Amino acid sequence: MDKKPAPGRKVNIELYSVWGGTGGVGMVNLAKRFEEAQDDIGVRVVYAPAGVGGGSVQQKLFVAIAGENPPDIAQLVPSQTPQWADLGIMTDLTDRFKAAGLTQDDFFPPIWESISYEDKIFQLHWDADPNFPFFWNKKVFEEAGLDPEKPPQTIEEVDEYSAKILKKNGPNIARIGMVPWDSYGASNSMFTWGWAFGGSFFDKDTGQITPDNEYVVKALEWIVDYAKRAGGPDRLAITPPGLQIHVFGTGNVGMAPLVAPNYRDILANVKDMEIGTGQLPYAAPGADRIGAGAWIGGWGMFIPTSAKYKDEAFEFMRWVTASDEGTMAQWETTGYPPAYNKSPVLDLLKNDEVFKPYYDVLTTATNIRPPFPVSDFFFQKLDMEVNAALFGQKTPLQAMRTVRSETETELERFRKEVKAV
Amino acid sequence: MTTTASNPSQTAPATGVPRKRSRATPAQRRNLFWGLVFTSPGIIGLLWFTAYPVLASIYYSFTSATMVRSPKWIGFTNYAALMKDPTWWQSLYNTFYYVVLSVPIGIVVALILALLLNLNIRGKSIYRVIFYLPAIVPLVASAVVWLYVFNPQFGVFNTILGWFGITGPGWLADPLWAMPAIIIFSTWGAGNLMIILLAGLQDVPQDLHDQAKVDGAGALRRFRHVSLPFLSPHLLFALVTGLIAGFQFFTPIFVLSNGTGGPAGSTTVSGLYLFQNAFQFFKVGYASAIAWVLFIIVALATLLVFRLVGRRVYYAGS
């Protein structure tokens, strides 16, 4: 997962990689590809793992920044940009971005939402994670007496199909239509289905968060009712211990949104599973089209304020995130779709049987997790309160109002105590 | 170390004139110097890595410290905010819930094991090893194993309950059962305390037991009136260290809940909430305030234990 820079370079930059395993190896290979592409800059890769809340805690990076010995390039979850920029730990890349000839038109629209903050550029999207296409298990559909070629288009149809797919083993759920409260954690579930209902979490014009928006609350009401109808979230017994692939791969789940690596794993390990692919169902009247719940995630790259070799670091970032050769190298080494909309990788995706659904999401999704200061706090509150509603401790409306009031208090504190410094 | 200093009381004239303080001899000074030289790594380490952070955290608790930029003095704002923070109160409730149940249960389990292992049975050394083993397994590894044990469908507990026709709970997936599950898990490490209590039991004079037997005392009465008084210092130690460790409980919950304190905040204990504030929300000042409030609570709890229980402790030979 670590790599020394190539010998004999004029400048060696240091890159912190959050990934272990195959992702970490991919990052090392990507750095080698960059070294092969030019002769001046060497890249040292250091494994600096991220954990908790989808990787929001990067202790090694924070300590390095606090000790004024940061890497030249580090990664972050793009929605963290406002907070990290306000904390003063990110280099303003606006001038370098313009000098490189890059513009808003080079990126997918939702990506631009998170790349720019207060009309400045602080990070570049290293990848674009299309969350999510919609998948269904054709065999489960057949067993339940459903047409395996006819996926649900609306939330009503999801409910209808789920009633037929549901199988109980005593009080436990042995097979379920979908697990809408766990589409990659409670907060991601809330975003996905909230948007699928036509909800909105953030008003960009007023800077206010709106988790208690009418359609977000409706989405949570649906999630809670769904879980109750199935027998309760604590009665879900569809995951064997030690399962190494996504639970959809067990055949105990009829429908699921999936990220690309999970889909690839299932295809590789459960070869006889017939999987249908499409777009997320939606709920009228809030939403008006299938796939309305899709959003773009991924990781960003930034240059810490006290980094030594900013120009060389930007050279690497620009190559990886917004060049034909670099995005192709990134795809071939780490396997993430690019955020750069002119990348030749997109042609590959479009014509690839496995990744076609992801291409569709990438080119049509309009949502992104709200980038605003204290977003991590917001996501954690969502996690907590969605679960509180799910287990009947609060009504969905109470839960979302709690999220709003506590996040607003935190946002006010941040603006008063931190941003003002 | 030897010393050549004579006792001044033997040589001072009885004139009523105040004695001069005896000055250290060159040998004593040399010994002191080299003593300090050899212990300096430890002393410097203690000052730099323990005393300084402790003192710094007091200061940070009155600032808006974020770890990555200069802190701003905000007085008691963090402490005031803490009093109005519902998540803090929930975390405190969870912490007390854990401490109040896990500490006595842990002591009782360790005591029962110690009593059993104190019996004269064949292969008792093997049993001692078996019961002590979990205590030396790293906490993270134990927690990962227990994730399997608590699995609602395939876990050991629910499988056994199923044999008796009982539908087991969702354990870590259910806010009502997540904390009881963690309390059950915490008894897994009773081996350390078991060893201490076993040592205490073996210190009880056998002739006292014999006399009690002659007087017609049964096993229970001998335990109550002979063994227990001798064990009381060990039990006080167990109670105090258990309280301190319980209030700082963190690692297993971090692993079992994937750092979230879920479901629905049911396992968010104060230590975990402190961590989240410091490393997830960049609120180092706020986290420091949590640490100091927690310190005060632990200190008060310890003081209370000494006041209530300390007087009832029997120290043999004192």
Side-chain angles (χ1 to χ4, degrees), chain A residues 1 4 39 47 49 53 84 87 95 106 114 117 134 152 159 170 182 198 207 218 246 253-254 265 268 309 396 421:
Chain A
M1 259 77 78
K4 289 195 170 89
D39 300 322
Y47 177 43
W84 292 24
L87 285 167
D95 293 340
D106 292 317
S114 75
Y117 172 59
F134 187 70
D159 288 339
D182 193 11
K218 275 193 190 323
H246 188 274
V253 180
D265 283 351
Y309 302 112
V421 175

PDB file of all heavy atoms in Angstrom, chain A residues 1 4 39 47 49 53 84 87 95 106 114 117 134 152 159 170 182 198 207 218 246 253-254 265 268 309 396 421:
ATOM      1  N   MET A   1       0.825  -1.220   0.000  1.00  0.00           N
ATOM      2  CA  MET A   1       0.000   0.000   0.000  1.00  0.00           C
ATOM      3  C   MET A   1       0.856   1.266   0.000  1.00  0.00           C
ATOM      4  O   MET A   1       0.372   2.335  -0.287  1.00  0.00           O
ATOM      5  CB  MET A   1      -0.907   0.040   1.225  1.00  0.00           C
ATOM      6  CG  MET A   1      -2.323  -0.365   0.950  1.00  0.00           C
ATOM      7  SD  MET A   1      -2.530  -2.113   0.787  1.00  0.00           S
ATOM      8  CE  MET A   1      -2.518  -2.593   2.494  1.00  0.00           C
ATOM      9  N   LYS A   4       7.697   4.047  -2.576  1.00  0.00           N
ATOM     10  CA  LYS A   4       8.750   5.065  -2.585  1.00  0.00           C
ATOM     11  C   LYS A   4       8.692   5.787  -3.931  1.00  0.00           C
ATOM     12  O   LYS A   4       8.284   5.200  -4.936  1.00  0.00           O
ATOM     13  CB  LYS A   4      10.117   4.402  -2.420  1.00  0.00           C
ATOM     14  CG  LYS A   4      10.370   3.835  -1.027  1.00  0.00           C
ATOM     15  CD  LYS A   4      11.856   3.531  -0.863  1.00  0.00           C
ATOM     16  CE  LYS A   4      12.166   3.193   0.583  1.00  0.00           C
ATOM     17  NZ  LYS A   4      12.016   1.787   0.869  1.00  0.00           N
ATOM     18  N   ASP A  39       8.862  13.002 -16.449  1.00  0.00           N
ATOM     19  CA  ASP A  39      10.183  12.674 -15.880  1.00  0.00           C
ATOM     20  C   ASP A  39      10.561  13.490 -14.647  1.00  0.00           C
ATOM     21  O   ASP A  39      11.586  13.214 -14.023  1.00  0.00           O
ATOM     22  CB  ASP A  39      11.279  12.907 -16.943  1.00  0.00           C
ATOM     23  CG  ASP A  39      11.052  12.025 -18.156  1.00  0.00           C
ATOM     24  OD1 ASP A  39      10.625  10.870 -17.942  1.00  0.00           O
ATOM     25  OD2 ASP A  39      11.273  12.495 -19.289  1.00  0.00           O
ATOM     26  N   TYR A  47       0.088   4.965   3.060  1.00  0.00           N
ATOM     27  CA  TYR A  47      -1.245   4.498   3.458  1.00  0.00           C
ATOM     28  C   TYR A  47      -1.673   5.209   4.736  1.00  0.00           C
ATOM     29  O   TYR A  47      -1.024   5.109   5.765  1.00  0.00           O
ATOM     30  CB  TYR A  47      -1.196   2.981   3.667  1.00  0.00           C
ATOM     31  CG  TYR A  47      -2.481   2.353   4.155  1.00  0.00           C
ATOM     32  CD1 TYR A  47      -3.718   2.719   3.640  1.00  0.00           C
ATOM     33  CD2 TYR A  47      -2.455   1.358   5.143  1.00  0.00           C
ATOM     34  CE1 TYR A  47      -4.889   2.132   4.074  1.00  0.00           C
ATOM     35  CE2 TYR A  47      -3.627   0.757   5.589  1.00  0.00           C
ATOM     36  CZ  TYR A  47      -4.840   1.152   5.052  1.00  0.00           C
ATOM     37  OH  TYR A  47      -6.000   0.557   5.500  1.00  0.00           O
ATOM     38  N   PRO A  49      -5.149   5.320   6.552  1.00  0.00           N
ATOM     39  CA  PRO A  49      -6.538   4.843   6.476  1.00  0.00           C
ATOM     40  C   PRO A  49      -7.567   5.834   6.995  1.00  0.00           C
ATOM     41  O   PRO A  49      -7.280   6.655   7.870  1.00  0.00           O
ATOM     42  CB  PRO A  49      -6.524   3.578   7.347  1.00  0.00           C
ATOM     43  CG  PRO A  49      -5.311   3.678   8.189  1.00  0.00           C
ATOM     44  CD  PRO A  49      -4.327   4.494   7.429  1.00  0.00           C
ATOM     45  N   GLY A  53     -18.034   6.517   9.570  1.00  0.00           N
ATOM     46  CA  GLY A  53     -18.879   7.399   8.772  1.00  0.00           C
ATOM     47  C   GLY A  53     -18.426   7.542   7.334  1.00  0.00           C
ATOM     48  O   GLY A  53     -18.335   8.651   6.812  1.00  0.00           O
ATOM     49  N   TRP A  84     -13.677  21.883   5.840  1.00  0.00           N
ATOM     50  CA  TRP A  84     -12.216  21.847   5.812  1.00  0.00           C
ATOM     51  C   TRP A  84     -11.648  23.140   5.228  1.00  0.00           C
ATOM     52  O   TRP A  84     -10.585  23.603   5.654  1.00  0.00           O
ATOM     53  CB  TRP A  84     -11.731  20.617   5.025  1.00  0.00           C
ATOM     54  CG  TRP A  84     -12.023  19.319   5.712  1.00  0.00           C
ATOM     55  CD1 TRP A  84     -13.010  19.093   6.642  1.00  0.00           C
ATOM     56  CD2 TRP A  84     -11.349  18.080   5.548  1.00  0.00           C
ATOM     57  NE1 TRP A  84     -12.978  17.775   7.047  1.00  0.00           N
ATOM     58  CE2 TRP A  84     -11.980  17.136   6.400  1.00  0.00           C
ATOM     59  CE3 TRP A  84     -10.287  17.657   4.754  1.00  0.00           C
ATOM     60  CZ2 TRP A  84     -11.566  15.804   6.476  1.00  0.00           C
ATOM     61  CZ3 TRP A  84      -9.881  16.321   4.842  1.00  0.00           C
ATOM     62  CH2 TRP A  84     -10.515  15.403   5.694  1.00  0.00           C
ATOM     63  N   LEU A  87     -11.897  25.693   7.879  1.00  0.00           N
ATOM     64  CA  LEU A  87     -10.878  25.455   8.906  1.00  0.00           C
ATOM     65  C   LEU A  87      -9.504  25.916   8.433  1.00  0.00           C
ATOM     66  O   LEU A  87      -8.544  25.940   9.200  1.00  0.00           O
ATOM     67  CB  LEU A  87     -10.821  23.965   9.272  1.00  0.00           C
ATOM     68  CG  LEU A  87     -11.956  23.437  10.150  1.00  0.00           C
ATOM     69  CD1 LEU A  87     -11.967  21.915  10.168  1.00  0.00           C
ATOM     70  CD2 LEU A  87     -11.842  23.960  11.568  1.00  0.00           C
ATOM     71  N   ASP A  95      -6.854  29.641  -8.981  1.00  0.00           N
ATOM     72  CA  ASP A  95      -5.956  30.163 -10.028  1.00  0.00           C
ATOM     73  C   ASP A  95      -5.318  29.027 -10.824  1.00  0.00           C
ATOM     74  O   ASP A  95      -5.207  29.102 -12.047  1.00  0.00           O
ATOM     75  CB  ASP A  95      -4.859  31.048  -9.406  1.00  0.00           C
ATOM     76  CG  ASP A  95      -5.460  32.315  -8.813  1.00  0.00           C
ATOM     77  OD1 ASP A  95      -6.592  32.661  -9.208  1.00  0.00           O
ATOM     78  OD2 ASP A  95      -4.809  32.940  -7.950  1.00  0.00           O
ATOM     79  N   ASP A 106     -16.241  20.971 -17.756  1.00  0.00           N
ATOM     80  CA  ASP A 106     -15.455  19.734 -17.842  1.00  0.00           C
ATOM     81  C   ASP A 106     -15.956  18.639 -16.893  1.00  0.00           C
ATOM     82  O   ASP A 106     -15.438  17.531 -16.909  1.00  0.00           O
ATOM     83  CB  ASP A 106     -13.976  20.023 -17.511  1.00  0.00           C
ATOM     84  CG  ASP A 106     -13.325  20.871 -18.586  1.00  0.00           C
ATOM     85  OD1 ASP A 106     -13.560  20.590 -19.772  1.00  0.00           O
ATOM     86  OD2 ASP A 106     -12.591  21.813 -18.228  1.00  0.00           O
ATOM     87  N   SER A 114     -20.015  20.185  -5.768  1.00  0.00           N
ATOM     88  CA  SER A 114     -19.142  19.951  -4.610  1.00  0.00           C
ATOM     89  C   SER A 114     -17.710  20.418  -4.844  1.00  0.00           C
ATOM     90  O   SER A 114     -16.964  20.617  -3.899  1.00  0.00           O
ATOM     91  CB  SER A 114     -19.154  18.468  -4.211  1.00  0.00           C
ATOM     92  OG  SER A 114     -18.405  17.704  -5.101  1.00  0.00           O
ATOM     93  N   TYR A 117     -16.841  25.901  -3.897  1.00  0.00           N
ATOM     94  CA  TYR A 117     -17.398  26.347  -2.617  1.00  0.00           C
ATOM     95  C   TYR A 117     -17.117  27.845  -2.494  1.00  0.00           C
ATOM     96  O   TYR A 117     -15.959  28.276  -2.572  1.00  0.00           O
ATOM     97  CB  TYR A 117     -16.772  25.576  -1.455  1.00  0.00           C
ATOM     98  CG  TYR A 117     -17.159  26.103  -0.092  1.00  0.00           C
ATOM     99  CD1 TYR A 117     -18.502  26.159   0.296  1.00  0.00           C
ATOM    100  CD2 TYR A 117     -16.201  26.541   0.810  1.00  0.00           C
ATOM    101  CE1 TYR A 117     -18.869  26.637   1.542  1.00  0.00           C
ATOM    102  CE2 TYR A 117     -16.551  27.017   2.070  1.00  0.00           C
ATOM    103  CZ  TYR A 117     -17.888  27.072   2.425  1.00  0.00           C
ATOM    104  OH  TYR A 117     -18.248  27.548   3.661  1.00  0.00           O
ATOM    105  N   PHE A 134     -30.317   0.338 -10.017  1.00  0.00           N
ATOM    106  CA  PHE A 134     -31.218  -0.534  -9.270  1.00  0.00           C
ATOM    107  C   PHE A 134     -31.113  -1.955  -9.838  1.00  0.00           C
ATOM    108  O   PHE A 134     -31.096  -2.137 -11.056  1.00  0.00           O
ATOM    109  CB  PHE A 134     -32.652  -0.012  -9.427  1.00  0.00           C
ATOM    110  CG  PHE A 134     -33.667  -0.704  -8.590  1.00  0.00           C
ATOM    111  CD1 PHE A 134     -33.689  -0.552  -7.215  1.00  0.00           C
ATOM    112  CD2 PHE A 134     -34.645  -1.517  -9.173  1.00  0.00           C
ATOM    113  CE1 PHE A 134     -34.648  -1.179  -6.440  1.00  0.00           C
ATOM    114  CE2 PHE A 134     -35.607  -2.150  -8.396  1.00  0.00           C
ATOM    115  CZ  PHE A 134     -35.612  -1.974  -7.035  1.00  0.00           C
ATOM    116  N   PRO A 152     -39.918  -2.991 -10.707  1.00  0.00           N
ATOM    117  CA  PRO A 152     -40.836  -1.936 -10.243  1.00  0.00           C
ATOM    118  C   PRO A 152     -40.358  -0.561 -10.719  1.00  0.00           C
ATOM    119  O   PRO A 152     -39.159  -0.291 -10.711  1.00  0.00           O
ATOM    120  CB  PRO A 152     -40.759  -2.053  -8.723  1.00  0.00           C
ATOM    121  CG  PRO A 152     -39.431  -2.672  -8.450  1.00  0.00           C
ATOM    122  CD  PRO A 152     -39.151  -3.571  -9.607  1.00  0.00           C
ATOM    123  N   ASP A 159     -43.616  -1.860  -3.062  1.00  0.00           N
ATOM    124  CA  ASP A 159     -44.397  -2.428  -1.953  1.00  0.00           C
ATOM    125  C   ASP A 159     -45.155  -3.676  -2.399  1.00  0.00           C
ATOM    126  O   ASP A 159     -45.190  -4.689  -1.694  1.00  0.00           O
ATOM    127  CB  ASP A 159     -45.381  -1.389  -1.406  1.00  0.00           C
ATOM    128  CG  ASP A 159     -44.687  -0.287  -0.633  1.00  0.00           C
ATOM    129  OD1 ASP A 159     -43.545  -0.503  -0.185  1.00  0.00           O
ATOM    130  OD2 ASP A 159     -45.280   0.800  -0.470  1.00  0.00           O
ATOM    131  N   GLY A 170     -40.413 -18.270  11.143  1.00  0.00           N
ATOM    132  CA  GLY A 170     -40.909 -17.889  12.467  1.00  0.00           C
ATOM    133  C   GLY A 170     -41.045 -16.379  12.472  1.00  0.00           C
ATOM    134  O   GLY A 170     -41.586 -15.796  11.531  1.00  0.00           O
ATOM    135  N   ASP A 182     -31.256   0.270   4.864  1.00  0.00           N
ATOM    136  CA  ASP A 182     -29.816   0.018   4.859  1.00  0.00           C
ATOM    137  C   ASP A 182     -29.257  -0.007   3.443  1.00  0.00           C
ATOM    138  O   ASP A 182     -28.641  -0.970   3.020  1.00  0.00           O
ATOM    139  CB  ASP A 182     -29.488  -1.282   5.605  1.00  0.00           C
ATOM    140  CG  ASP A 182     -27.993  -1.404   5.901  1.00  0.00           C
ATOM    141  OD1 ASP A 182     -27.275  -0.398   5.723  1.00  0.00           O
ATOM    142  OD2 ASP A 182     -27.543  -2.492   6.292  1.00  0.00           O
ATOM    143  N   GLY A 198     -38.727  12.871  -4.047  1.00  0.00           N
ATOM    144  CA  GLY A 198     -38.762  14.268  -4.485  1.00  0.00           C
ATOM    145  C   GLY A 198     -38.366  15.242  -3.394  1.00  0.00           C
ATOM    146  O   GLY A 198     -38.592  16.455  -3.513  1.00  0.00           O
ATOM    147  N   GLY A 207     -28.987  28.649   2.391  1.00  0.00           N
ATOM    148  CA  GLY A 207     -27.963  27.980   3.208  1.00  0.00           C
ATOM    149  C   GLY A 207     -28.570  27.170   4.337  1.00  0.00           C
ATOM    150  O   GLY A 207     -27.896  26.801   5.284  1.00  0.00           O
ATOM    151  N   LYS A 218     -41.943  11.983   4.183  1.00  0.00           N
ATOM    152  CA  LYS A 218     -42.753  10.922   3.550  1.00  0.00           C
ATOM    153  C   LYS A 218     -41.879   9.693   3.239  1.00  0.00           C
ATOM    154  O   LYS A 218     -42.310   8.550   3.426  1.00  0.00           O
ATOM    155  CB  LYS A 218     -43.374  11.440   2.249  1.00  0.00           C
ATOM    156  CG  LYS A 218     -44.695  12.194   2.436  1.00  0.00           C
ATOM    157  CD  LYS A 218     -45.369  12.383   1.090  1.00  0.00           C
ATOM    158  CE  LYS A 218     -46.552  13.321   1.106  1.00  0.00           C
ATOM    159  NZ  LYS A 218     -47.429  13.305   2.257  1.00  0.00           N
ATOM    160  N   HIS A 246     -21.840  -8.439  -0.818  1.00  0.00           N
ATOM    161  CA  HIS A 246     -23.055  -7.717  -0.438  1.00  0.00           C
ATOM    162  C   HIS A 246     -24.192  -8.720  -0.245  1.00  0.00           C
ATOM    163  O   HIS A 246     -24.271  -9.744  -0.930  1.00  0.00           O
ATOM    164  CB  HIS A 246     -23.413  -6.712  -1.537  1.00  0.00           C
ATOM    165  CG  HIS A 246     -24.536  -5.792  -1.161  1.00  0.00           C
ATOM    166  ND1 HIS A 246     -25.858  -6.132  -1.344  1.00  0.00           N
ATOM    167  CD2 HIS A 246     -24.528  -4.563  -0.600  1.00  0.00           C
ATOM    168  CE1 HIS A 246     -26.622  -5.134  -0.915  1.00  0.00           C
ATOM    169  NE2 HIS A 246     -25.829  -4.171  -0.456  1.00  0.00           N
ATOM    170  N   VAL A 253     -32.459 -11.354  -0.898  1.00  0.00           N
ATOM    171  CA  VAL A 253     -32.972  -9.999  -1.117  1.00  0.00           C
ATOM    172  C   VAL A 253     -33.401  -9.902  -2.571  1.00  0.00           C
ATOM    173  O   VAL A 253     -32.653 -10.276  -3.481  1.00  0.00           O
ATOM    174  CB  VAL A 253     -31.881  -8.936  -0.819  1.00  0.00           C
ATOM    175  CG1 VAL A 253     -32.415  -7.532  -1.054  1.00  0.00           C
ATOM    176  CG2 VAL A 253     -31.376  -9.071   0.602  1.00  0.00           C
ATOM    177  N   GLY A 254     -34.614  -9.420  -2.790  1.00  0.00           N
ATOM    178  CA  GLY A 254     -35.134  -9.372  -4.156  1.00  0.00           C
ATOM    179  C   GLY A 254     -34.599  -8.215  -4.966  1.00  0.00           C
ATOM    180  O   GLY A 254     -34.304  -8.359  -6.159  1.00  0.00           O
ATOM    181  N   ASP A 265     -18.322  -7.805  -7.580  1.00  0.00           N
ATOM    182  CA  ASP A 265     -18.055  -8.966  -6.711  1.00  0.00           C
ATOM    183  C   ASP A 265     -19.112 -10.049  -6.885  1.00  0.00           C
ATOM    184  O   ASP A 265     -18.800 -11.235  -6.948  1.00  0.00           O
ATOM    185  CB  ASP A 265     -18.060  -8.546  -5.230  1.00  0.00           C
ATOM    186  CG  ASP A 265     -16.775  -7.842  -4.848  1.00  0.00           C
ATOM    187  OD1 ASP A 265     -15.845  -7.847  -5.670  1.00  0.00           O
ATOM    188  OD2 ASP A 265     -16.727  -7.286  -3.740  1.00  0.00           O
ATOM    189  N   ALA A 268     -18.794 -11.873 -10.076  1.00  0.00           N
ATOM    190  CA  ALA A 268     -17.628 -12.757 -10.096  1.00  0.00           C
ATOM    191  C   ALA A 268     -17.817 -13.982  -9.207  1.00  0.00           C
ATOM    192  O   ALA A 268     -17.303 -15.055  -9.514  1.00  0.00           O
ATOM    193  CB  ALA A 268     -16.398 -11.976  -9.635  1.00  0.00           C
ATOM    194  N   TYR A 309       5.065  21.164  -1.941  1.00  0.00           N
ATOM    195  CA  TYR A 309       5.182  21.208  -3.414  1.00  0.00           C
ATOM    196  C   TYR A 309       3.804  21.319  -4.069  1.00  0.00           C
ATOM    197  O   TYR A 309       3.294  20.360  -4.643  1.00  0.00           O
ATOM    198  CB  TYR A 309       5.921  19.963  -3.914  1.00  0.00           C
ATOM    199  CG  TYR A 309       7.291  19.797  -3.323  1.00  0.00           C
ATOM    200  CD1 TYR A 309       7.570  18.763  -2.449  1.00  0.00           C
ATOM    201  CD2 TYR A 309       8.323  20.696  -3.641  1.00  0.00           C
ATOM    202  CE1 TYR A 309       8.834  18.608  -1.891  1.00  0.00           C
ATOM    203  CE2 TYR A 309       9.588  20.555  -3.087  1.00  0.00           C
ATOM    204  CZ  TYR A 309       9.837  19.510  -2.214  1.00  0.00           C
ATOM    205  OH  TYR A 309      11.085  19.366  -1.671  1.00  0.00           O
ATOM    206  N   PRO A 396     -41.334   9.809  12.332  1.00  0.00           N
ATOM    207  CA  PRO A 396     -40.420  10.317  11.297  1.00  0.00           C
ATOM    208  C   PRO A 396     -40.290  11.845  11.311  1.00  0.00           C
ATOM    209  O   PRO A 396     -39.192  12.378  11.166  1.00  0.00           O
ATOM    210  CB  PRO A 396     -41.056   9.817  10.006  1.00  0.00           C
ATOM    211  CG  PRO A 396     -41.712   8.533  10.404  1.00  0.00           C
ATOM    212  CD  PRO A 396     -42.255   8.802  11.771  1.00  0.00           C
ATOM    213  N   VAL A 421     -12.760  32.917  13.221  1.00  0.00           N
ATOM    214  CA  VAL A 421     -11.377  33.083  13.752  1.00  0.00           C
ATOM    215  C   VAL A 421     -10.451  33.658  12.695  1.00  0.00           C
ATOM    216  O   VAL A 421     -10.455  33.191  11.568  1.00  0.00           O
ATOM    217  CB  VAL A 421     -10.818  31.723  14.245  1.00  0.00           C
ATOM    218  CG1 VAL A 421      -9.361  31.873  14.668  1.00  0.00           C
ATOM    219  CG2 VAL A 421     -11.633  31.221  15.411  1.00  0.00           C
TER     220      VAL A 421
END
